[in-house]
Amino acid sequence: MSAAAAAALALRPVRRDDLPELLGMLRRFYAEDRIPLDEPRVRRGLEQLLIDASLGAALFAEVGGERVGYLVLGWCFSIEQGGRHLLVDELYLEPAARGRGLGGALLAAACDWARGQGAEVARLEVNRHNPRAKALYLRHGFRDDDRDILSLAIAGGGA
């Protein structure tokens, strides 16, 4: 990450009245990364996060007062990870903001935020079809744990 990128970057908390703008960025991110969007579910999650800061944070990335992306950070717990650890749930930069070191600056800011709250580990997910994002994460010290993430929808009590 360049010092200029880190110095140019400002993080601003997302407020409830910012949700339309955040959802617009999120729609672009999900379309680009081929993530199926269940907007009511995502909105519900964002609203919970904005109401309860103990869950994590949603932050806009700004350069020169212009919003160029966002971060969503969430707290998780794992004994293997030493307890509470950070999940970099979403990191998005608008296409015009890419290639300037801002992705690395966002990762560093996320880790600084978590470290300041006592976390020792930050984790994230990356889609296999996104080698550019994976290369960014690896360049900034994240490692491929050679594990798969498996999910099960448990809403409605079905098991």
Side-chain angles (χ1 to χ4, degrees), residues 9 13-14 32 40 48 62 76 86 88 95 127 130 132 138 145 156:
L9 181 69
V14 173
E32 177 182 340
Q48 289 175 43
E62 298 180 352
C76 300
L86 179 71
V88 180
N127 285 321
N130 195 342
R132 184 175 178 195
L138 292 172
D145 290 331

Side-chain angles (χ1 to χ4, degrees), residues 33 124-135 137 149:
D33 210 28
L124 52 75
E125 300 172 9
V126 61
N127 285 321
R128 290 186 182 112
H129 63 257
N130 195 342
R132 184 175 178 195
K134 185 172 183 176
Y137 304 145
I149 295 172

Side-chain angles (χ1 to χ4, degrees), residues 14-89:
V14 173
R15 299 179 317 261
R16 276 186 82 80
D17 60 339
D18 293 323
L19 273 178
E21 184 175 359
L22 179 61
L23 285 167
M25 284 184 178
L26 186 140
R27 285 183 203 103
R28 290 189 293 280
F29 170 43
Y30 280 40
E32 177 182 340
D33 210 28
R34 298 181 287 195
I35 301 169
L37 175 58
D38 180 343
E39 193 162 323
R41 175 187 238 170
V42 168
R43 181 183 287 272
R44 193 170 54 248
L46 283 169
E47 288 173 350
Q48 289 175 43
L49 185 61
L50 296 180
I51 290 168
D52 186 353
S54 73
L55 298 175
L59 305 162
F60 280 120
E62 298 180 352
V63 174
E66 177 187 351
R67 290 183 177 160
V68 296
Y70 72 91
L71 268 174
V72 175
L73 309 173
W75 288 114
C76 300
F77 186 88
S78 166
I79 58 172
E80 179 183 347
Q81 302 305 321
R84 191 168 86 145
H85 64 280
L86 179 71
L87 173 66
V88 180
D89 188 37

